[in-house]
Amino acid sequence: MKPPAPAAPSPNGQAGLVAGLYGLLAALWIALSDRLAALVAGDTAQLTLIQNYKGWAFVAITCTLLFFLVRRSLSRLQGSYRALAESEALYESLVQVMPQCLYRMDRESRITFANRALERHLGKPREAILGHSPREVYPADLAAKYRQDDLRVLQGETLNLIEEMVSLDSEQRKRYIEIVKTPTYAPDGSINGIQGIFWDITARKSAEEQIEYLAHHDPLTDLPNRVLLRDRFLQAQGQAARSANRVAILFLDLDHFKLVNDTLGHPIGDRLLQAVAERLRRGVRETDTISRQGGDEFVIVLPELADPESAGSIAGKLMEQMHEPVRVNGHRLNVTFSLGIALYPDDGEDFDTLMKKADTAMYSAKEAGRNTLRFFTAAMNVEAAARLKLQNRLQRALEKEELVLYYQPQFDLASGRILGAEALLRWRDPERGLVPPGEFIPVAEDTGLIGPIGEWVIGEACRELRRWHEAGATDLTMAVNLSPVQFRRSRLVEIAARALQENRLPAECLEFELTESLLIREDAAILETLTALKGLGVKLSIDDFGTGYSSLAYLKRFNVDKLKIDQSFIRELCSNPDDEAIVSAVITMARQLRLRTVAEGVENAEQATMLRRFDCDEVQGFLFGRPMPAADFQALLGHR
Ligand SMILES: Nc1nc2c(ncn2[C@@H]2O[C@H](COP(=O)(O)O[C@H]3[C@@H](O)[C@H](n4cnc5c(=O)[nH]c(N)nc54)O[C@@H]3COP(=O)(O)O)[C@@H](O)[C@H]2O)c(=O)[nH]1
């Protein structure tokens, strides 16, 4: 917008006023002075005298008048000069200290004014800027863009121009600026140039870009997140709809990742996720999108697939890629995952439906034993609904006191004396009756419910053992199963110590059954917990011995007391020479290491006879007694 002209007194008007006043005074003097002199003079001599002096009087009066008028004008002018100088100084100081870059240009885009901020921005002194045009400062494409904008301003098409542009600073780095350009006007109102003010918004721009990136990526793995994945799926869906191809959604969940997190700690878990992300990246095409959904879940969108089999073979390759263990901080971790596949348009049209179905298929792969893949089928929906229901109901089972412990007796093989029992969890579900632990413990581990459930099991097993001791069976022991997940989540040592103290039980009559998978992890926290448990005086045994890992080093490191030979070796002990050899070897080795042995799953007398021949210390199995409710176990004790 053209600026309004400042309101100043007109010089012609001022001069005309002075001349008019003077003319009026002179005319009045000429017309009236002689008459006035004749009127006031008493005689001719007096009149002559007055006439002699009246000319001088006129000069004196007009000089005085001129003096005051000129002085008034000059002091006004001086005031204006002073005000102008002050405003000029103010303007100059503001313009020079302002952080924004300010410049003026003529119609040919030659810079006629530049403030210090612009000098700093360009890294050049004012002399090197003035008289030059952006063409000499910026690369051709940038200068051309600036000139285009300038022409619009010069034509008055766009008077104010605010836009984000790219500029180059003194080190030729790309900077983002926001700029306002307005025309400048000559006194006759014509546009004679451009003035521009711009400021650096690079920091804001990169913060915006960072926010934008974070909104679409997973910070741990740098992979796209669900938001970006949805976008990519929509693009792939559009292409597939045109080409009559398919899009596959692969839902991957690492097997036993919780265990890694819970036993080796979150930093190792994070590194593992990063390593897995890297391997997945290597296993897919540029056009495929891998994303992390959070936790240990990854989702891959495969666009433009000709047939469902292609999705299966890509998924198979990804699984093969995991065969090589992942090395993290000196740990060699075997990584497998369960993978579910849903296809567009076969299994659904929209992203959310397909994600849900791929997730359901992944769960089905987990249930099928993990480290496998499943395509979605309609029957899986029914299973998924059942699993969700189980999760919700298990949450309430503990509060509603629906969990119970059964006790399976353990015997000294040589004497047949009852030594104690293993506490085995059951869920007395009002809908389904007695539910075995295998059906709900994995769900409890997945949801974190194993913490409170495990705490209740330890407390209840100790209360029951107290009852037996009070009934006189003070030599009996109680074995309790521990889930590896309980090791990091709950305060295991504190819980065990409290249960023993509240029930006034000696620590050595409580035994924790641990899995081999827990012990092979070289984790300081696990070692610390096990050492503290041993410090309390409780016993440790290794459950399902022989089915897990072949490293026996942990037997020494964790100071265990007992090996429980897995029932899979006992089942065919009398008919399979391999099982016979394994059981015999384990018992011999345990004896050398001064560890006790328990054979579990003993179902017939032949097995018991052979175990006796091998000098096995203890037995547990249906031959001697099934897991039973507390009342039945107490009755059993009454008959000893
Ligand atoms: N973290 C926790 N895990 C628990 C708890 N309670 C049980 N469990 C785990 O569930 C597994 C299965 O237990 P269950 O279904 O009770 O089976 C036990 C016995 O019933 C069964 N058994 C015993 N003798 C025989 C036999 O002669 N034949 C035969 N076919 N089965 C038999 O073996 C299971 C006991 O095994 P183990 O623990 O290895 O001694 C169970 O293995 C636990 O892992 C719990 O409170 N917390």
Side-chain angles (χ1 to χ4, degrees), residues 280-586:
L280 291 176
R281 255 192 216 111
R282 277 190 258 135
V284 296
R285 299 168 300 180
E286 281 274 294
T287 46
D288 302 333
T289 303
I290 310 171
S291 78
R292 178 170 170 247
Q293 303 292 295
D296 57 349
E297 290 175 349
F298 295 85
V299 174
I300 303 176
V301 167
L302 305 175
E304 291 293 299
L305 293 179
D307 47 52
E309 291 73 34
S310 313
S313 71
I314 295 171
K317 271 194 216 132
L318 289 173
M319 298 183 90
E320 266 171 38
Q321 242 184 282
M322 292 292 162
H323 280 168
E324 179 68 18
V326 177
R327 288 179 180 278
V328 180
N329 279 29
H331 299 274
R332 272 168 62 89
L333 302 173
N334 287 302
V335 182
T336 62
F337 47 74
S338 305
L339 195 154
I341 304 173
L343 294 164
Y344 164 85
D346 313 57
D347 299 320
E349 294 279 328
D350 67 287
F351 178 71
D352 291 327
T353 306
L354 287 163
M355 282 288 279
K356 217 168 132 225
K357 290 187 171 173
D359 186 16
T360 302
M362 182 278 293
Y363 258 102
S364 171
K366 277 237 185 281
E367 306 242 295
R370 296 176 156 90
N371 192 16
T372 186
L373 69 90
R374 287 284 180 275
F375 279 87
F376 175 79
T377 63
M380 287 177 187
N381 262 345
V382 180
E383 288 164 27
R387 191 172 50 245
L388 192 66
K389 190 174 163 202
L390 176 76
Q391 242 174 47
N392 294 335
R393 299 189 61 252
L394 184 59
Q395 250 156 8
R396 289 196 300 273
L398 189 61
E399 299 153 30
K400 292 168 123 185
E401 298 184 359
E402 289 170 5
L403 297 181
V404 285
L405 287 184
Y406 271 42
Y407 301 92
Q408 186 175 30
Q410 295 175 325
F411 293 87
D412 178 72
L413 187 55
S415 65
R417 192 167 57 89
I418 186 163
L419 296 173
E422 177 182 3
L424 292 160
L425 188 59
R426 304 282 183 268
W427 175 11
R428 221 184 274 286
D429 182 0
E431 270 185 26
R432 295 193 300 160
L434 206 60
V435 185
E439 285 186 30
F440 64 87
I441 287 213
V443 176
E445 285 176 336
D446 279 353
T447 53
L449 272 173
I450 194 69
I453 290 179
E455 183 172 351
W456 177 83
V457 169
I458 295 171
E460 181 59 18
C462 286
R463 282 188 288 278
E464 186 58 25
L465 183 61
R466 178 74 216 152
R467 281 177 214 119
W468 302 345
H469 283 200
E470 279 172 356
T474 51
D475 53 341
L476 292 193
T477 60
M478 180 71 82
V480 171
N481 286 283
L482 286 184
S483 155
V485 180
Q486 278 173 271
F487 267 77
R488 197 166 283 273
R489 292 272 161 82
S490 65
R491 308 132 356 250
L492 205 51
V493 184
E494 189 190 320
I495 290 165
R498 186 158 19 93
L500 289 167
Q501 193 200 6
E502 282 174 2
N503 296 290
R504 301 182 308 284
L505 290 169
E508 61 273 15
C509 67
L510 179 63
E511 178 183 302
F512 285 129
E513 294 193 5
L514 316 168
T515 60
E516 280 183 282
S517 64
L518 176 86
L519 300 180
I520 53 135
R521 297 181 186 265
E522 292 160 13
D523 183 86
I526 294 177
L527 183 60
E528 199 182 309
T529 306
L530 290 175
T531 311
L533 286 174
K534 286 297 286 180
L536 269 185
V538 299
K539 300 265 188 262
L540 302 178
S541 71
I542 299 177
D543 205 0
D544 306 334
F545 186 78
T547 55
Y549 303 83
S550 50
S551 164
L552 300 177
Y554 61 78
L555 290 182
K556 279 195 298 181
R557 191 168 346 116
F558 293 109
N559 194 10
V560 294
D561 301 280
K562 204 186 268 186
L563 302 184
K564 260 190 117 170
I565 305 166
D566 189 65
Q567 46 185 286
S568 60
F569 301 115
I570 307 298
R571 201 168 297 129
E572 290 171 16
L573 179 64
C574 304
S575 57
N576 185 332
D578 290 345
D579 288 343
E580 184 184 333
I582 290 170
V583 172
S584 157
V586 168

Side-chain angles (χ1 to χ4, degrees), residues 589-606:
M589 178 196 68
R591 173 132 307 118
Q592 299 289 318
L593 293 170
R594 290 176 300 284
L595 301 175
R596 285 183 71 76
T597 44
V598 192
E600 60 176 334
V602 184
E603 292 187 350
N604 57 53
E606 291 75 40

